[in-house]
PDB file of all heavy atoms in Angstrom:
ATOM      1  N   SER A 123    -156.430 -18.306 138.797  1.00 97.00           N
ATOM      2  CA  SER A 123    -156.949 -17.089 139.410  1.00 97.00           C
ATOM      3  C   SER A 123    -155.786 -16.165 139.752  1.00 97.00           C
ATOM      4  O   SER A 123    -154.632 -16.595 139.843  1.00 97.00           O
ATOM      5  CB  SER A 123    -157.773 -17.417 140.664  1.00 97.00           C
ATOM      6  OG  SER A 123    -157.001 -18.116 141.617  1.00 97.00           O
ATOM      7  N   LEU A 124    -156.117 -14.894 139.930  1.00 96.00           N
ATOM      8  CA  LEU A 124    -155.111 -13.898 140.287  1.00 96.00           C
ATOM      9  C   LEU A 124    -155.798 -12.661 140.821  1.00 96.00           C
ATOM     10  O   LEU A 124    -157.010 -12.490 140.658  1.00 96.00           O
ATOM     11  CB  LEU A 124    -154.231 -13.545 139.084  1.00 96.00           C
ATOM     12  CG  LEU A 124    -154.883 -12.925 137.847  1.00 96.00           C
ATOM     13  CD1 LEU A 124    -155.078 -11.419 137.975  1.00 96.00           C
ATOM     14  CD2 LEU A 124    -154.042 -13.222 136.623  1.00 96.00           C
ATOM     15  N   VAL A 125    -155.022 -11.803 141.450  1.00 95.00           N
ATOM     16  CA  VAL A 125    -155.487 -10.477 141.844  1.00 95.00           C
ATOM     17  C   VAL A 125    -154.704  -9.480 141.015  1.00 95.00           C
ATOM     18  O   VAL A 125    -153.475  -9.416 141.092  1.00 95.00           O
ATOM     19  CB  VAL A 125    -155.288 -10.210 143.350  1.00 95.00           C
ATOM     20  CG1 VAL A 125    -155.673  -8.776 143.692  1.00 95.00           C
ATOM     21  CG2 VAL A 125    -156.100 -11.195 144.192  1.00 95.00           C
ATOM     22  N   ALA A 126    -155.399  -8.713 140.191  1.00 94.00           N
ATOM     23  CA  ALA A 126    -154.767  -7.680 139.375  1.00 94.00           C
ATOM     24  C   ALA A 126    -154.659  -6.405 140.194  1.00 94.00           C
ATOM     25  O   ALA A 126    -155.630  -5.978 140.815  1.00 94.00           O
ATOM     26  CB  ALA A 126    -155.574  -7.432 138.111  1.00 94.00           C
ATOM     27  N   VAL A 127    -153.471  -5.823 140.199  1.00 92.00           N
ATOM     28  CA  VAL A 127    -153.220  -4.584 140.944  1.00 92.00           C
ATOM     29  C   VAL A 127    -152.684  -3.525 139.990  1.00 92.00           C
ATOM     30  O   VAL A 127    -152.288  -3.834 138.858  1.00 92.00           O
ATOM     31  CB  VAL A 127    -152.230  -4.822 142.107  1.00 92.00           C
ATOM     32  CG1 VAL A 127    -152.815  -5.792 143.124  1.00 92.00           C
ATOM     33  CG2 VAL A 127    -150.884  -5.332 141.601  1.00 92.00           C
ATOM     34  N   GLN A 128    -152.661  -2.296 140.456  1.00 89.00           N
ATOM     35  CA  GLN A 128    -152.053  -1.183 139.717  1.00 89.00           C
ATOM     36  C   GLN A 128    -152.596  -1.069 138.288  1.00 89.00           C
ATOM     37  O   GLN A 128    -151.840  -0.983 137.331  1.00 89.00           O
ATOM     38  CB  GLN A 128    -150.526  -1.311 139.712  1.00 89.00           C
ATOM     39  CG  GLN A 128    -149.931  -1.285 141.096  1.00 89.00           C
ATOM     40  CD  GLN A 128    -148.409  -1.426 141.126  1.00 89.00           C
ATOM     41  OE1 GLN A 128    -147.843  -1.346 142.181  1.00 89.00           O
ATOM     42  NE2 GLN A 128    -147.753  -1.626 140.003  1.00 89.00           N
ATOM     43  N   GLN A 129    -153.902  -1.100 138.145  1.00 86.00           N
ATOM     44  CA  GLN A 129    -154.592  -0.949 136.862  1.00 86.00           C
ATOM     45  C   GLN A 129    -154.239  -2.033 135.836  1.00 86.00           C
ATOM     46  O   GLN A 129    -154.311  -1.808 134.629  1.00 86.00           O
ATOM     47  CB  GLN A 129    -154.329   0.433 136.241  1.00 86.00           C
ATOM     48  CG  GLN A 129    -154.883   1.592 137.023  1.00 86.00           C
ATOM     49  CD  GLN A 129    -153.926   2.086 138.090  1.00 86.00           C
ATOM     50  OE1 GLN A 129    -152.725   2.126 137.880  1.00 86.00           O
ATOM     51  NE2 GLN A 129    -154.465   2.440 139.239  1.00 86.00           N
ATOM     52  N   ALA A 130    -153.878  -3.242 136.274  1.00 90.00           N
ATOM     53  CA  ALA A 130    -153.513  -4.323 135.350  1.00 90.00           C
ATOM     54  C   ALA A 130    -154.698  -5.200 134.955  1.00 90.00           C
ATOM     55  O   ALA A 130    -154.536  -6.125 134.163  1.00 90.00           O
ATOM     56  CB  ALA A 130    -152.422  -5.185 135.962  1.00 90.00           C
ATOM     57  N   ALA A 131    -155.894  -4.928 135.470  1.00 91.00           N
ATOM     58  CA  ALA A 131    -157.052  -5.780 135.159  1.00 91.00           C
ATOM     59  C   ALA A 131    -157.313  -5.841 133.649  1.00 91.00           C
ATOM     60  O   ALA A 131    -157.665  -6.900 133.122  1.00 91.00           O
ATOM     61  CB  ALA A 131    -158.293  -5.301 135.903  1.00 91.00           C
ATOM     62  N   GLY A 132    -157.127  -4.758 132.952  1.00 90.00           N
ATOM     63  CA  GLY A 132    -157.348  -4.737 131.501  1.00 90.00           C
ATOM     64  C   GLY A 132    -156.418  -5.691 130.773  1.00 90.00           C
ATOM     65  O   GLY A 132    -156.835  -6.403 129.853  1.00 90.00           O
ATOM     66  N   LEU A 133    -155.170  -5.724 131.168  1.00 90.00           N
ATOM     67  CA  LEU A 133    -154.203  -6.654 130.578  1.00 90.00           C
ATOM     68  C   LEU A 133    -154.673  -8.089 130.754  1.00 90.00           C
ATOM     69  O   LEU A 133    -154.684  -8.879 129.805  1.00 90.00           O
ATOM     70  CB  LEU A 133    -152.823  -6.480 131.221  1.00 90.00           C
ATOM     71  CG  LEU A 133    -151.822  -7.599 130.945  1.00 90.00           C
ATOM     72  CD1 LEU A 133    -151.272  -7.490 129.545  1.00 90.00           C
ATOM     73  CD2 LEU A 133    -150.714  -7.574 131.968  1.00 90.00           C
ATOM     74  N   TRP A 134    -155.084  -8.423 131.968  1.00 95.00           N
ATOM     75  CA  TRP A 134    -155.485  -9.805 132.253  1.00 95.00           C
ATOM     76  C   TRP A 134    -156.799 -10.166 131.570  1.00 95.00           C
ATOM     77  O   TRP A 134    -156.979 -11.314 131.158  1.00 95.00           O
ATOM     78  CB  TRP A 134    -155.532 -10.043 133.760  1.00 95.00           C
ATOM     79  CG  TRP A 134    -154.151  -9.973 134.337  1.00 95.00           C
ATOM     80  CD1 TRP A 134    -153.649  -9.023 135.179  1.00 95.00           C
ATOM     81  CD2 TRP A 134    -153.068 -10.865 134.063  1.00 95.00           C
ATOM     82  NE1 TRP A 134    -152.326  -9.280 135.446  1.00 95.00           N
ATOM     83  CE2 TRP A 134    -151.951 -10.409 134.776  1.00 95.00           C
ATOM     84  CE3 TRP A 134    -152.939 -12.014 133.283  1.00 95.00           C
ATOM     85  CZ2 TRP A 134    -150.717 -11.053 134.739  1.00 95.00           C
ATOM     86  CZ3 TRP A 134    -151.706 -12.670 133.243  1.00 95.00           C
ATOM     87  CH2 TRP A 134    -150.614 -12.192 133.962  1.00 95.00           C
ATOM     88  N   THR A 135    -157.710  -9.230 131.409  1.00 94.00           N
ATOM     89  CA  THR A 135    -158.941  -9.557 130.673  1.00 94.00           C
ATOM     90  C   THR A 135    -158.617  -9.817 129.203  1.00 94.00           C
ATOM     91  O   THR A 135    -159.222 -10.692 128.586  1.00 94.00           O
ATOM     92  CB  THR A 135    -160.028  -8.475 130.825  1.00 94.00           C
ATOM     93  OG1 THR A 135    -159.510  -7.215 130.428  1.00 94.00           O
ATOM     94  CG2 THR A 135    -160.536  -8.389 132.258  1.00 94.00           C
ATOM     95  N   ARG A 136    -157.656  -9.103 128.647  1.00 93.00           N
ATOM     96  CA  ARG A 136    -157.233  -9.380 127.269  1.00 93.00           C
ATOM     97  C   ARG A 136    -156.600 -10.763 127.139  1.00 93.00           C
ATOM     98  O   ARG A 136    -156.574 -11.338 126.054  1.00 93.00           O
ATOM     99  CB  ARG A 136    -156.265  -8.301 126.777  1.00 93.00           C
ATOM    100  CG  ARG A 136    -156.955  -6.977 126.473  1.00 93.00           C
ATOM    101  CD  ARG A 136    -156.043  -5.989 125.779  1.00 93.00           C
ATOM    102  NE  ARG A 136    -154.859  -5.620 126.541  1.00 93.00           N
ATOM    103  CZ  ARG A 136    -154.800  -4.686 127.488  1.00 93.00           C
ATOM    104  NH1 ARG A 136    -155.904  -4.018 127.830  1.00 93.00           N
ATOM    105  NH2 ARG A 136    -153.674  -4.415 128.094  1.00 93.00           N
ATOM    106  N   MET A 137    -156.083 -11.287 128.229  1.00 92.00           N
ATOM    107  CA  MET A 137    -155.466 -12.619 128.231  1.00 92.00           C
ATOM    108  C   MET A 137    -156.473 -13.715 128.585  1.00 92.00           C
ATOM    109  O   MET A 137    -156.090 -14.863 128.782  1.00 92.00           O
ATOM    110  CB  MET A 137    -154.261 -12.648 129.158  1.00 92.00           C
ATOM    111  CG  MET A 137    -153.107 -11.824 128.648  1.00 92.00           C
ATOM    112  SD  MET A 137    -151.641 -12.145 129.610  1.00 92.00           S
ATOM    113  CE  MET A 137    -150.399 -11.247 128.711  1.00 92.00           C
ATOM    114  N   GLY A 138    -157.753 -13.362 128.697  1.00 95.00           N
ATOM    115  CA  GLY A 138    -158.789 -14.363 128.891  1.00 95.00           C
ATOM    116  C   GLY A 138    -159.384 -14.469 130.276  1.00 95.00           C
ATOM    117  O   GLY A 138    -160.243 -15.316 130.522  1.00 95.00           O
ATOM    118  N   PHE A 139    -158.971 -13.629 131.200  1.00 97.00           N
ATOM    119  CA  PHE A 139    -159.512 -13.661 132.558  1.00 97.00           C
ATOM    120  C   PHE A 139    -160.792 -12.829 132.626  1.00 97.00           C
ATOM    121  O   PHE A 139    -160.962 -11.876 131.870  1.00 97.00           O
ATOM    122  CB  PHE A 139    -158.499 -13.093 133.556  1.00 97.00           C
ATOM    123  CG  PHE A 139    -157.367 -14.021 133.879  1.00 97.00           C
ATOM    124  CD1 PHE A 139    -156.278 -14.128 133.030  1.00 97.00           C
ATOM    125  CD2 PHE A 139    -157.379 -14.787 135.022  1.00 97.00           C
ATOM    126  CE1 PHE A 139    -155.228 -14.980 133.306  1.00 97.00           C
ATOM    127  CE2 PHE A 139    -156.335 -15.645 135.318  1.00 97.00           C
ATOM    128  CZ  PHE A 139    -155.255 -15.743 134.462  1.00 97.00           C
ATOM    129  N   THR A 140    -161.664 -13.202 133.550  1.00 96.00           N
ATOM    130  CA  THR A 140    -162.881 -12.431 133.800  1.00 96.00           C
ATOM    131  C   THR A 140    -162.972 -12.112 135.289  1.00 96.00           C
ATOM    132  O   THR A 140    -162.555 -12.918 136.134  1.00 96.00           O
ATOM    133  CB  THR A 140    -164.144 -13.195 133.369  1.00 96.00           C
ATOM    134  OG1 THR A 140    -164.185 -14.454 134.054  1.00 96.00           O
ATOM    135  CG2 THR A 140    -164.158 -13.430 131.872  1.00 96.00           C
ATOM    136  N   PRO A 141    -163.517 -10.950 135.632  1.00 94.00           N
ATOM    137  CA  PRO A 141    -163.660 -10.591 137.047  1.00 94.00           C
ATOM    138  C   PRO A 141    -164.614 -11.545 137.767  1.00 94.00           C
ATOM    139  O   PRO A 141    -165.614 -11.987 137.197  1.00 94.00           O
ATOM    140  CB  PRO A 141    -164.247  -9.179 137.003  1.00 94.00           C
ATOM    141  CG  PRO A 141    -163.931  -8.666 135.643  1.00 94.00           C
ATOM    142  CD  PRO A 141    -163.938  -9.871 134.743  1.00 94.00           C
ATOM    143  N   ALA A 142    -164.283 -11.848 138.997  1.00 91.00           N
ATOM    144  CA  ALA A 142    -165.146 -12.655 139.864  1.00 91.00           C
ATOM    145  C   ALA A 142    -165.605 -11.735 140.988  1.00 91.00           C
ATOM    146  O   ALA A 142    -164.902 -11.560 141.986  1.00 91.00           O
ATOM    147  CB  ALA A 142    -164.392 -13.870 140.402  1.00 91.00           C
ATOM    148  N   ASN A 143    -166.755 -11.154 140.815  1.00 81.00           N
ATOM    149  CA  ASN A 143    -167.227 -10.135 141.745  1.00 81.00           C
ATOM    150  C   ASN A 143    -167.670 -10.670 143.095  1.00 81.00           C
ATOM    151  O   ASN A 143    -167.856  -9.904 144.028  1.00 81.00           O
ATOM    152  CB  ASN A 143    -168.372  -9.346 141.092  1.00 81.00           C
ATOM    153  CG  ASN A 143    -167.910  -8.643 139.833  1.00 81.00           C
ATOM    154  OD1 ASN A 143    -166.781  -8.169 139.761  1.00 81.00           O
ATOM    155  ND2 ASN A 143    -168.772  -8.594 138.839  1.00 81.00           N
ATOM    156  N   ASN A 144    -167.832 -11.980 143.220  1.00 86.00           N
ATOM    157  CA  ASN A 144    -168.298 -12.572 144.473  1.00 86.00           C
ATOM    158  C   ASN A 144    -167.159 -12.881 145.443  1.00 86.00           C
ATOM    159  O   ASN A 144    -167.381 -13.479 146.482  1.00 86.00           O
ATOM    160  CB  ASN A 144    -169.090 -13.851 144.188  1.00 86.00           C
ATOM    161  CG  ASN A 144    -168.249 -14.883 143.441  1.00 86.00           C
ATOM    162  OD1 ASN A 144    -167.308 -14.534 142.731  1.00 86.00           O
ATOM    163  ND2 ASN A 144    -168.595 -16.142 143.599  1.00 86.00           N
TER     164      ASN A 144
END
Side-chain angles (χ1 to χ4, degrees):
S123 59
L124 61 83
V125 175
V127 297
Q128 299 179 176
Q129 295 87 38
L133 166 76
W134 293 112
T135 55
R136 286 189 299 277
M137 291 191 173
F139 284 81
T140 57
N143 299 324
N144 59 334

